[in-house]
Amino acid sequence: MKNKVLINLYVPSLDEEYNIYIPVNETINKVLELIVKSVFELSDSYFDINTNHYLYDPQESKMYNVSSIVRDTNIENGKKIILT
């Protein structure tokens, strides 16, 4: 799958981790929308989708720019990312 990468997503508000494939040719903003919807469904609607969420790189201690395209970031297979 050259058009997707598998990330390890940690969601502190749920204290849960998910392995999720994300598209590399989309913006972080679009991927964030997809992730939030997925986590909402996986958490049996417990996850709050009505607040602003961000993707955070714990290794670099920085938020991902929502206008960046995934392939232009350091996101790769196995990357741990936090959904805040």
Side-chain angles (χ1 to χ4, degrees), residues 35-70:
I35 288 174
V36 167
K37 288 178 187 175
S38 296
V39 171
F40 178 74
E41 291 175 12
L42 290 168
S43 70
D44 294 326
S45 305
Y46 182 71
F47 186 68
D48 184 8
I49 60 172
N50 295 318
T51 60
N52 290 331
H53 294 285
Y54 301 94
L55 293 178
Y56 179 78
D57 180 350
Q59 289 84 19
E60 305 234 350
S61 299
K62 68 173 186 172
M63 297 282 183
Y64 285 102
N65 182 333
V66 293
S67 62
S68 295
I69 296 176
V70 173

